[in-house]
Amino acid sequence: MKRNKSRKPKYRRILIKLSGETLGDRGFGFSAVAIQRIVQEIISIHELGVQIMIVVGGGNIIRGTTATSLGIDRPTGDTMGMLGTVINSIALCGVLEKAGIQTRVQTAIDMPRVSEPAIRRRAIRHLEKGRVVIFGAGTGNPFVSTDTAAALRSSETNAEIILKATKVDGIYDKDPKKFSSATMFQKISFQEVLDRRLEVMDLAAFAMCRENRIPIIVFDFFKQGNLRRVVCGDQIGTLVHL
């Protein structure tokens, strides 16, 4: 795909929320093809001068709720899930660095041998220097999702928007896989999402975004070039606004 480098980004500081499943093959483990595709999408907006943060889940390795089915208590299971997000963060960092993009991993659990602590001012300084910042280990607390971590980090760093990378092209009034009459919203308010009980993020994350006036775009990350188009202001996906 030939890139138009003359395009100007609409957003200068963004946070991308990735599920762990995007890194794997059929949602599990790691796929070189999947990770390279993610990295190429990130490179396509980094070259525009966009300041990029990433929060990645750990579902391709283990979820806290899955661990409980093994007889493990929820706090321990959530800790296992947080460590899974750190593995994913290190994997993304390694591939981005190999591609020539300076990247830093910050974690909510102290791991000085493999990452920096999640420090707001340090993260902002990295962004100002053009480095990609990947946040791992969620918020460092059990019973809290990586969606909430994304809302927290974007609030702390004054991100202009959260880009929620999904496999669907936006938010629908009902499940488009089950109902052919499902209609996608181009724009929808925070209040209408609540009124319709649409699942965009978990409630804690959603409330934090609303309180801190951070819009969310839900879009199909798997269509090549969509990330760049979203950042440049094209009507892609669904915008959740105040």
Side-chain angles (χ1 to χ4, degrees):
M1 179 180 67
K2 187 176 180 180
R3 293 178 178 143
N4 180 5
K5 295 186 178 182
S6 65
R7 294 203 69 185
K8 301 296 183 183
K10 178 178 180 179
Y11 306 104
R12 290 292 181 177
R13 180 176 294 175
I14 67 170
L15 186 142
I16 303 169
K17 172 58 174 68
L18 288 171
S19 68
E21 288 88 341
T22 59
L23 279 66
D25 182 16
R26 298 181 181 178
F28 299 99
F30 296 96
S31 161
V33 173
I35 294 175
Q36 284 293 340
R37 189 190 59 76
I38 291 170
V39 166
Q40 289 305 312
E41 292 293 309
I42 293 169
I43 289 172
S44 76
I45 61 171
H46 186 270
E47 68 184 14
L48 298 175
V50 177
Q51 296 178 6
I52 305 164
M53 295 173 281
I54 301 170
V55 168
V56 61
N60 59 317
I61 299 173
I62 191 167
R63 294 180 182 275
T65 51
T66 302
T68 59
S69 66
L70 305 175
I72 299 169
D73 63 76
R74 179 65 186 273
T76 302
D78 281 352
T79 299
M80 294 168 65
M82 285 186 273
L83 295 178
T85 71
V86 176
I87 293 172
N88 286 342
S89 298
I90 293 170
L92 274 179
C93 176
V95 181
L96 281 166
E97 288 275 352
K98 190 172 182 180
I101 305 297
Q102 290 191 6
T103 307
R104 296 292 185 271
V105 173
Q106 293 195 349
T107 56
I109 299 174
D110 289 343
M111 301 181 184
R113 295 287 295 272
V114 299
S115 68
E116 299 178 354
I119 298 175
R120 171 183 175 270
R121 291 176 65 87
R122 184 179 291 181
I124 291 172
R125 186 60 176 151
H126 287 321
L127 295 172
E128 291 172 344
K129 290 184 176 181
R131 297 167 182 156
V132 173
V133 180
I134 305 174
F135 295 108
T139 67
N141 301 294
F143 303 103
V144 179
S145 74
T146 51
D147 277 351
T148 301
L152 173 64
R153 300 307 176 202
S154 59
S155 299
E156 287 182 322
T157 57
N158 301 315
E160 295 174 64
I161 197 159
I162 292 176
L163 304 182
K164 187 169 173 62
T166 69
K167 296 179 180 179
V168 296
D169 49 0
I171 301 172
Y172 285 79
D173 60 349
K174 48 194 167 186
D175 190 341
K177 293 181 180 179
K178 296 180 180 178
F179 302 95
S180 59
S181 61
T183 302
M184 192 186 91
F185 299 99
Q186 288 191 338
K187 295 182 180 180
I188 188 170
S189 69
F190 280 89
Q191 188 58 51
E192 190 173 359
V193 168
L194 292 173
D195 292 343
R196 289 175 173 267
R197 298 182 180 180
L198 301 174
E199 296 182 2
V200 178
M201 287 182 159
D202 68 68
L203 286 177
F206 195 75
M208 189 179 298
C209 289
R210 184 182 187 183
E211 180 179 353
N212 291 290
R213 307 179 70 85
I214 301 172
I216 305 162
I217 293 180
V218 179
F219 72 107
D220 181 0
F221 182 75
F222 290 85
K223 185 174 181 181
Q224 185 179 14
N226 260 5
L227 177 61
R228 186 182 175 97
R229 288 191 283 270
V230 168
V231 166
C232 289
D234 291 359
Q235 179 58 60
I236 302 292
T238 301
L239 171 66
V240 183
H241 62 93
L242 292 171

